[in-house]
Amino acid sequence: MGLFDSILGSVLGGGDKTQMAINLATSLISNHSSGQGLNGLAQQFENAGLGHLMQSWVGNGANLPITGDQIQQVLGNQFVQQFAAQHGIPLAAAAPMIAQILPQLVNHVTPNGQVPSQAEVQSAVAGIAGSGGTTPQT
């Protein structure tokens, strides 16, 4: 996971910002409010007309960029406000920060170019969080 850590460090600057990535991965990827995990997040992007962005992050090609405005469109103002408050960052900075982090997180938990099982996603998110050692049950 060293490469992923270095990518996050270059985007976020390390420190508490790494916790931001962990919180995003947990709330949006493994514990999505739909109860569907990453598939629920993908559906949320589809419903907003931005499914092609999510598909690029899951796929093996280049990740298409997303803007802060698009993040707010998909995730909603309430989520962005909660994220900003939780991490003590200005509201205006929250959506652009999520826009930088989320494509890398989705790409990281979908290494084979497709959405893995929920157990594999949970394991990947646990690895990001550093709680490691957890593997999907077979």
Side-chain angles (χ1 to χ4, degrees):
M1 195 170 69
L3 177 61
F4 182 72
D5 287 337
S6 66
I7 291 170
L8 273 182
S10 68
V11 170
L12 302 174
D16 288 337
K17 294 178 183 171
T18 301
Q19 188 62 42
M20 292 179 191
I22 293 166
N23 289 348
L24 274 177
T26 301
S27 65
L28 292 178
I29 296 174
S30 63
N31 297 331
H32 189 266
S33 61
S34 67
Q36 302 282 322
L38 186 55
N39 286 314
L41 181 61
Q43 187 61 52
Q44 196 171 353
F45 272 80
E46 284 292 330
N47 293 345
L50 298 172
H52 65 286
L53 296 178
M54 175 67 75
Q55 290 170 3
S56 78
W57 308 338
V58 171
N60 289 325
N63 290 340
L64 294 176
I66 188 168
T67 67
D69 288 341
Q70 289 170 317
I71 285 292
Q72 284 200 275
Q73 176 187 343
V74 174
L75 301 179
N77 290 331
Q78 183 178 357
F79 181 87
V80 175
Q81 289 170 352
Q82 287 174 333
F83 180 81
Q86 182 179 18
H87 296 288
I89 59 174
L91 182 58
M97 189 166 289
I98 295 169
Q100 287 184 319
I101 303 168
L102 189 58
Q104 293 178 55
L105 290 174
V106 171
N107 188 276
H108 181 74
V109 300
T110 58
N112 297 319
Q114 55 188 323
V115 176
S117 72
Q118 184 62 16
E120 291 169 314
V121 170
Q122 293 280 6
S123 179
V125 169
I128 292 169
S131 55
T134 58
T135 55
Q137 304 259 335
T138 55

